[in-house]
Amino acid sequence: MPIYTKTGDKGETSLADGRRVRKCCTRVEAYGTIDELSSHIGLLIAKMKESNAPDVTAIIPDLIGIQNDLFNVSSELAGVHTTGYGEAIKKLEHHIDDISLNLPTLHEFILPGGTECAATAHICRTVCRRAERCIIILTETETIDENIIIYINRLSDYLFMLAKKLNFIAGVKENTWQKTCK
């Protein structure tokens, strides 16, 4: 069976409920950005595997769980009602708290970078923030489970802390913002 259906050749796609919409509509942009985020997390996982560092590879199952959560978010945004996100939010908060306990206190703005894994986590964070903005725009015209917004907001916080943790594990000092404008 071929993968191509030719139903999208004129710039439209189908939502889960069968409605046809333009591929540039806000809903498609939102779940497309979530898909992009999941792909970047997949790249991060691949880079983490390559590092072969036990402290780093131990994080991979958490990221695969997040990819599954993101598939649920995409499904919800495409019109398939999934279960609540309460447990997923709590899990992210728990991970953030655990990471925070073992890292130096943050006193300055961090510039994205450091190790390749940490820099990739920062890219994931920025795509996550863009997804959040897309979802917020969608809420101006559509009803969206507010827990999706909370989940995506927590996920960006988690990805920031993960980048810090990955640099910390590698012993890489992060660069901080040096205010140069007056």
Side-chain angles (χ1 to χ4, degrees), residues 2-137:
I3 187 73
Y4 54 87
T5 63
K6 300 182 182 181
T7 60
D9 290 352
K10 295 192 187 226
E12 290 187 346
T13 191
S14 293
L15 297 178
D17 63 7
R19 282 185 295 158
R20 299 287 294 171
V21 296
R22 297 288 298 159
K23 289 182 177 183
C24 61
C25 82
T26 308
R27 184 174 290 275
V28 175
E29 183 66 27
Y31 71 70
T33 306
I34 294 294
D35 185 36
E36 180 184 352
L37 171 58
S38 184
S39 295
H40 280 291
I41 290 173
L43 178 62
L44 175 58
I45 291 168
K47 291 178 184 300
M48 291 169 79
K49 284 179 181 176
E50 287 174 4
S51 80
N52 218 19
D55 288 348
V56 172
T57 57
I59 301 165
I60 292 172
D62 296 335
L63 291 173
I64 292 171
I66 287 167
Q67 284 183 303
N68 279 287
D69 292 340
L70 290 173
F71 204 91
N72 289 333
V73 169
S74 288
S75 296
E76 182 88 26
L77 293 172
V80 176
H81 295 293
T82 57
T83 58
Y85 297 89
E87 286 304 312
I89 293 167
K90 286 179 187 174
K91 190 182 290 185
L92 283 176
E93 289 172 348
H94 175 74
H95 289 320
I96 293 166
D97 292 343
D98 280 352
I99 293 171
S100 297
L101 289 174
N102 298 310
L103 294 179
T105 306
L106 181 64
H107 296 289
E108 300 170 283
F109 288 106
I110 303 296
L111 298 177
T115 67
E116 190 171 6
C117 286
T120 304
H122 278 295
I123 290 169
C124 293
R125 174 187 55 80
T126 61
V127 173
C128 188
R129 286 292 188 206
R130 179 161 38 89
E132 182 180 25
R133 293 188 302 271
C134 290
I135 294 167
I136 297 295
I137 291 168

